[in-house]
Amino acid sequence: MPADTTAPPAIEFRDVHLRYFTDKGETHAISSVSFTVRKGEFISLVGQSGCGKSTMLSLLAGLIAPTSGEVLINGRPVTGPSQEVGFMLQQDSLFEWRTILDNVLLGPEIRGMDMIAARYRAERILKNYGLGQFMDHRPSELSGGMRQRAALARTMCMEPELLLLDEPFSALDFQTRLSIADEIGGIIRSEGKTAILVTHDIPEAIAMADRVIVLAPRPGRLRAIHEISFPSAETRPGAFDARETPEFQGYFNRIWEEMEDHV
Ligand code: ADP
Ligand code: MG
C-alpha cells in the first residue's frame, strides 16, 4: 500500500519539554523531543529507568500536558484523555469480582456506549484471542499470558486507534513472555493499529517494532532511532524467528551500546 503523504502523522512530538514540579524541586523529565510516527507503525521505546518513557506515554494519553512544545495525534493537539487512545499496563488490573467478559465490558459501560454492540464486539475479540472458553471465568482461573490477552481484549473493545503499552509483559516468565509478545504483536499488526511499546528488553523491542527509539536519561532525550528490517527473511519474522536472523545481532549491539553509554 503506498504511503498516504497527505494524511497527518498518527503521532507527532514537536520540541516537547516536560518538567515535573514537586515540593522536593523540579525534574526535567523530557527535553527537546521531536519525532513523528506513521499510522499503523509499531514503535518500541527503550531507555534506562527514569529517562521519561512513561512520561511520553502520559503525554500521549492526555494525562499531563507538555511544559513547552506540542504533542499531536492525527494532527490535532492532545488536550486530555480520549477514546482514540488505549493503554495497557504491566499489571493487567482485571477485577476478580467480574468475569472475563464483564472485565472486557467495563470500559464501554463506564463510557456509556451501546452495550449490545459492545457485548457482540467483546465476544468476538475474546474468541479471536483464544479466550472463547473463558468468558465466564474469573481472572484468577487464567494463566498470566491469558490474563494479558484478556487485558488486551479489554483495551481493544474500546476500539482505540493508538495503543500505548507500558512494559506490559514484565510480570510474565520468560517463555510466556516470548509467546505472548509474539501473539500480541501479531494481533496489533493485523488490526493495523498504531502502537508504542515501552520495554526494558532490547530483543523484545527489536523483534516487535518497525522502529526502535532509544532515549538517553537526565533529562530524557532522543538518543537514536533505528529503522528495523530483516531483508534476509522473506516475510516479517515473528518474535522467535527474528532473533535468529543475521540482522538481529547488529541491532542488538548498537542499541545496547547506546543504552550503556549513559549509565
Ligand atoms: P521511565 O518510565 O523511563 O522509567 P518516567 O517517565 O517514569 O521514566 O520518569 C522520568 C523522570 O520523571 C524520573 O526522574 C521520575 O522520577 C520523574 N517523575 C515521573 N513522574 C513524576 C511525577 N508525577 N512527579 C515528579 N517526578 C516524576
Ligand atoms: Mg516507566
Side-chain angles (χ1 to χ4, degrees):
M1 196 171 66
D4 181 354
T5 48
T6 56
I11 294 173
E12 185 168 5
F13 274 66
R14 281 190 196 149
D15 194 21
V16 172
H17 290 257
L18 191 286
R19 291 171 192 272
Y20 288 108
F21 299 96
T22 64
D23 45 3
K24 292 201 191 71
E26 179 187 328
T27 306
H28 197 175
I30 297 280
S31 176
S32 211
V33 167
S34 301
F35 65 92
T36 60
V37 177
R38 295 183 296 277
K39 186 169 158 41
E41 205 177 9
F42 198 119
I43 301 288
S44 293
L45 195 55
V46 299
Q48 289 164 33
S49 186
C51 69
K53 303 183 296 296
S54 295
T55 298
M56 284 174 58
L57 298 192
S58 298
L59 287 162
L60 282 165
L63 303 174
I64 51 176
T67 309
S68 68
E70 271 191 305
V71 178
L72 302 103
I73 295 180
N74 293 325
R76 292 184 303 274
V78 175
T79 52
S82 122
Q83 220 163 290
E84 286 179 326
V85 181
F87 227 115
M88 199 174 146
L89 304 167
Q90 178 179 345
Q91 261 68 43
D92 56 46
S93 57
L94 298 168
F95 292 112
E96 185 57 26
W97 44 273
R98 286 189 156 227
T99 64
I100 293 302
L101 178 62
D102 287 340
N103 265 286
V104 173
L105 287 172
L106 189 63
E109 230 174 272
I110 291 171
R111 291 272 184 176
M113 292 162 90
D114 172 353
M115 289 311 289
I116 293 172
R119 192 183 173 94
Y120 179 78
R121 201 160 63 234
E123 290 180 353
R124 178 179 48 81
I125 294 169
L126 284 167
K127 281 179 195 146
N128 282 348
Y129 294 6
L131 294 171
Q133 313 287 321
F134 296 90
M135 291 198 263
D136 298 324
H137 286 54
R138 303 282 162 172
S140 62
E141 297 174 272
L142 272 60
S143 69
M146 289 161 83
R147 290 171 66 113
Q148 273 315 61
R149 270 184 295 178
L152 180 67
R154 186 181 50 189
T155 304
M156 289 295 205
C157 196
M158 300 298 290
E159 304 190 294
E161 271 183 62
L162 169 62
L163 284 166
L164 306 177
L165 308 157
D166 200 347
E167 315 214 26
F169 315 124
S170 332
L172 305 173
D173 64 80
F174 181 70
Q175 285 298 331
T176 309
R177 182 176 179 137
L178 265 182
S179 58
I180 206 76
D182 209 17
E183 278 175 31
I184 285 184
I187 291 167
I188 292 171
R189 259 173 215 290
S190 70
E191 298 188 9
K193 306 285 185 192
T194 310
I196 303 207
L197 168 75
V198 165
T199 178
H200 272 104
D201 184 325
I202 302 176
E204 181 174 287
I206 298 166
M208 291 185 74
D210 299 309
R211 279 190 295 160
V212 176
I213 297 183
V214 185
L215 294 182
R218 273 172 289 280
R221 284 152 296 136
L222 290 195
R223 174 94 168 93
I225 300 184
H226 299 275
E227 195 78 51
I228 307 294
S229 64
F230 301 101
S232 67
E234 269 171 37
T235 54
R236 193 194 157 84
F240 292 98
D241 297 337
R243 291 165 209 242
E244 303 299 321
T245 62
E247 294 89 0
F248 190 85
Q249 197 60 39
Y251 290 129
F252 181 89
N253 292 345
R254 269 151 58 205
I255 294 169
W256 192 77
E257 272 172 33
E258 286 160 0
M259 283 174 64
E260 280 302 291
D261 270 8
H262 291 260
V263 173

